[in-house]
Amino acid sequence: MPETHSRRRHALRELLREADLDAILVTDLLNIRYLTGFTGSQAAVVVHAADEPGAERATAFSTDGRYLTQAAEQVPDLERIIERPSEVVLAEHVAKAPDRYRRTGFESQHVTVDGRDALAEAAPGIELVRAPGLVERLRLVKDAAEVDAIRMACAAADRALADLIEHGGLRPGRTELEVARELEARMLEHGAAGPAFDTIVAAGAHSAIPHHRPTTAALAAGDFVKMDFGALVDGYHSDMTRTVVLGAPAEWQREIYELVHAAQAAGRGAVRVGTDVRDVDGAAREVIDDAGYGERYPHSVGHGVGLEIHEAPALSQRGDGRIEEGMVVTVEPGVYLPERGGVRIEDTLAVRESTPELLTLTTKELVAV
């Protein structure tokens, strides 16, 4: 998709001019993938701010000899310099035209102190300027192709869970690890390249631990089983949590589940264009606080999803910014009762001008298996 990546670089140039930068040296591999399509493990790209005919000729990409063929296929529209270390090679490239690259930004949120020193040594006469988060600002809003990939990742996760339940994969005696591995295998069967993150399966008292790691603990009748998992498709992630109960739910389980269900609905309802991200968190949190369980809800309500499983915006009490059309976010409140059990319900949503598009479609009603 050279035209897609060219369009993204054009948008980045606008940000560079706003920041009074002549260029930026991009070294984060996910940002490089976003701007060029390259999926290898070693690369850098320098993007010039000039918005004029032939501006792409001032944008250069570098990787090493392992990726000679791959780079030609994935980055056909840019000058390619096959040499490593790529960031230093491009710093030297920039130094050859000091008037053109006088103020060059670098991704200070990713570059180490030693890395910055190496760039400065390679580019004498160039003013290296901290420029954190510029590409990430573009990544906040997803284009149609990105949403399609996330939608497919969500579908793979939905189908995997449906298969797991249909084929008796959730039953007393199975271990958390066995359930987690089966979920991951079934996501692969439905088109995922792999899991989006380490799958969480937490049964019984373990379900009260928000980010419990699966163990050899066996599922038992009467347990809550909390499953937080996602699929990876074309580099994009999905994220979903569902909590079920093994057998007939107790009254306290129904009470906690219905509370989280209501909080999650309130959070989803607050995902509207123009809403402050803190107000999305507040909408879900208010429901749980009013029920007297605020101390049992220790995390934020959600986050952005894309090339990373956790990316901006942060839907939290400390978040910054407003909901924009095209963002893809999660809504995932929970209540956790130590030594008893916990519930989290999480969806991935694409923000639309009116009602958000729900990308994770598995029922949120309490399922007893």
Side-chain angles (χ1 to χ4, degrees):
M1 302 184 294
E3 63 284 346
T4 296
H5 302 115
S6 178
R7 185 168 58 248
R8 292 171 181 173
R9 295 192 294 268
H10 174 77
L12 178 59
R13 290 189 182 98
E14 295 182 8
L15 298 183
L16 294 178
R17 293 193 295 275
E18 290 175 9
D20 192 27
L21 292 172
D22 295 308
I24 185 170
L25 178 60
V26 180
T27 51
D28 177 73
L29 286 171
L30 289 180
N31 287 341
I32 291 165
R33 177 174 184 157
Y34 180 80
L35 293 170
T36 70
F38 182 70
T39 60
S41 65
Q42 199 280 130
V45 63
V46 61
V47 179
H48 198 275
D51 191 14
E52 59 191 26
E56 289 282 59
R57 290 198 295 271
T59 295
F61 169 88
S62 178
T63 186
D64 64 61
R66 295 173 298 167
Y67 298 112
L68 180 65
T69 301
Q70 180 177 334
E73 293 174 349
Q74 293 183 331
V75 195
D77 53 338
L78 295 179
E79 176 185 0
R80 297 182 299 279
I81 303 172
I82 308 300
E83 190 176 348
R84 69 182 306 173
S86 292
E87 64 277 10
V88 172
V89 169
L90 289 185
E92 293 170 346
H93 174 81
V94 163
K96 294 175 183 177
D99 292 339
R100 190 168 180 79
Y101 297 95
R102 179 178 54 86
R103 282 173 51 84
T104 294
F106 69 98
E107 295 186 302
S108 54
Q109 77 275 31
H110 300 298
V111 176
T112 66
V113 173
D114 287 348
R116 192 270 176 198
D117 289 347
L119 296 178
E121 183 178 346
I126 300 297
E127 182 183 358
L128 294 174
V129 181
R130 292 175 182 238
L134 288 187
V135 181
E136 285 84 350
R137 280 174 59 184
L138 299 178
R139 286 171 48 194
L140 274 168
V141 174
K142 274 59 179 178
D143 59 33
E146 292 180 289
V147 176
D148 283 345
I150 298 170
R151 188 183 293 109
M152 288 189 289
C154 290
D158 277 323
R159 293 166 184 161
L161 180 56
D163 285 353
L164 177 77
I165 294 173
E166 180 182 349
H167 293 91
L170 290 174
R171 62 181 184 273
R174 295 204 83 194
T175 69
E176 295 169 337
L177 276 171
E178 287 171 338
V179 174
R181 298 296 84 82
E182 183 174 345
L183 263 177
E184 292 174 352
R186 291 190 179 278
M187 284 190 288
L188 292 175
E189 292 174 0
H190 289 291
F197 53 92
D198 290 340
T199 298
I200 295 171
V201 174
H206 288 167
S207 63
I209 304 170
H211 277 191
H212 171 71
R213 288 180 172 272
T215 69
T216 56
L219 281 59
D223 278 353
F224 267 142
V225 182
K226 182 184 70 200
M227 296 164 286
D228 187 345
F229 61 104
L232 187 66
V233 173
D234 292 337
Y236 286 84
H237 300 72
S238 71
D239 199 357
M240 176 171 72
T241 306
R242 292 294 186 267
T243 306
V244 304
V245 65
L246 298 186
E251 186 58 33
W252 72 269
Q253 290 175 315
R254 288 189 181 278
E255 176 187 340
I256 295 302
Y257 192 94
E258 289 170 5
L259 173 60
V260 175
H261 188 277
Q264 208 259 354
R268 291 198 330 270
V271 178
R272 293 289 186 270
V273 174
T275 302
D276 191 301
V277 294
R278 291 168 293 188
D279 291 339
V280 180
D281 182 274
R285 193 170 301 279
E286 183 178 14
V287 174
I288 294 173
D289 285 344
D290 288 350
Y293 286 94
E295 292 184 357
R296 301 305 183 194
Y297 175 26
H299 55 77
S300 63
V301 79
H303 54 85
V305 180
L307 287 170
E308 295 177 274
I309 188 60
H310 292 100
E311 58 182 49
L315 308 186
S316 75
Q317 294 171 300
R318 296 185 178 88
D320 181 48
R322 294 184 178 276
I323 299 295
E324 298 180 46
E325 184 175 6
M327 287 180 170
V328 177
V329 300
T330 68
V331 176
E332 51 179 299
V335 170
Y336 311 91
L337 306 181
E339 308 303 324
R340 297 184 76 186
V343 174
R344 182 163 64 249
I345 303 171
E346 176 185 21
D347 282 314
T348 299
L349 308 124
V351 180
R352 303 304 185 200
E353 184 59 41
S354 54
T355 303
E357 179 187 355
L358 187 64
L359 301 180
T360 41
L361 303 179
T362 297
T363 182
K364 287 179 284 293
E365 298 301 320
L366 179 56
V367 173
V369 296

